[in-house]
Amino acid sequence: MEKELVFATHNPHKFEEVQQMMPKGLRLLSLSDIGCTEEIPETEQTLEGNARLKAQHVRQRYGYDCIADDTGLEVDALNGAPGVYSARYAGPGADAQANTAKLLQALSGNARRNARFRTVIVLTEGSAFRYFEGVAEGEILEAPRGHGGFGYDPVFRPSGYSCSFAELTPEEKNAISHRGKAFRALQDYMARY
Ligand code: ITT
């Protein structure tokens, strides 16, 4: 029988990216598949803490094995901001365009533009948690480029590339991205079982 695993995200872009990476024989369920429509609190100060809160919520209320991730964009010239607050950098309910505009404004005239995306994934194992991490280094562009991806992708140029994440195909992004790396670490771990 196919093994089922819930991916505790309300972000459809993230769900699609991760679904593409799942091994055969494993069915990834979304929160709507299990009837979870409520907002899950992300009140911790770290990516690890927030990923754990999401996984714990699903595990405790719905009883499913579960993975959850939390991702932040860490900009060195901004002392690691927006970091764990990346989704609401421009305020509660802010969209990607508003967050990106605020970031470009904060870095306006600043030549120091290095940054990284960091993803932490939590896998529930009964009442225990296992953590996996992936990092993508790069820099913040002066203006958005490309229409692929989501979030801050149009303003992030990965190291070694001359284009933004939003100018890559989903496969190309997954091959080098923070989330891709973290999920491959998870896959390696799961392949042992
Ligand atoms: P869930 O908590 O429901 O999973 P979310 O959109 O809040 O969805 P995260 O907390 O992991 O997801 O990510 C915080 C924000 O960081 C997200 O809203 C995006 O703006 C940005 N982000 C995350 N992954 C990204 C990626 O691969 N490329 C560009 N921006 C990304």
Side-chain angles (χ1 to χ4, degrees):
M1 208 177 81
E2 236 181 3
K3 184 171 163 49
E4 291 182 332
L5 193 64
V6 173
F7 180 23
T9 180
H10 283 302
N11 182 328
H13 302 287
K14 281 170 48 171
F15 190 84
E16 258 170 52
E17 282 191 4
V18 169
Q19 201 169 30
Q20 287 193 4
M21 292 185 262
M22 280 295 122
K24 289 201 174 48
L26 196 146
R27 179 154 172 257
L28 199 64
L29 300 176
S30 68
L31 289 177
S32 48
D33 287 334
I34 62 166
C36 171
T37 50
E38 68 274 14
E39 200 59 44
I40 304 177
E42 292 186 47
T43 48
E44 293 282 339
Q45 308 289 309
T46 61
L47 298 176
E48 286 82 357
N50 279 333
R52 194 190 60 244
L53 281 184
K54 291 189 258 189
Q56 216 163 17
H57 182 95
V58 168
R59 176 83 203 165
Q60 285 175 354
R61 296 213 185 170
Y62 297 87
Y64 280 92
D65 279 333
C66 173
I67 50 175
D69 84 327
D70 201 28
T71 296
L73 176 64
E74 302 169 349
V75 180
D76 287 351
L78 303 176
N79 298 317
V84 74
Y85 303 107
S86 294
R88 51 204 146 107
Y89 185 44
D95 63 10
Q97 220 176 343
N99 286 333
T100 301
K102 181 170 176 184
L103 179 64
L104 292 182
Q105 181 60 39
L107 286 177
S108 172
N110 197 330
R112 191 171 163 230
R113 306 189 74 90
N114 50 309
R116 71 203 52 78
F117 278 112
R118 184 186 306 279
T119 290
V120 173
I121 299 171
V122 164
L123 168 70
T124 61
E125 291 187 316
S127 57
F129 301 101
R130 191 165 285 271
Y131 296 86
F132 304 87
E133 191 184 75
V135 173
E137 297 283 346
E139 66 167 40
I140 305 301
L141 294 165
E142 300 277 349
R145 287 176 54 171
H147 300 285
F150 67 98
Y152 297 91
D153 280 347
V155 295
F156 185 82
R157 183 185 66 73
S159 298
Y161 286 70
S162 56
C163 60
S164 76
F165 259 168
E167 294 175 295
L168 298 177
T169 65
E171 294 75 22
E172 287 169 336
K173 181 184 166 187
N174 273 343
I176 58 167
S177 79
H178 42 297
R179 192 166 300 100
K181 288 175 184 167
F183 273 89
R184 281 190 290 279
L186 169 71
Q187 279 175 348
D188 288 348
Y189 175 75
M190 286 173 36
R192 289 193 260 137
Y193 288 87

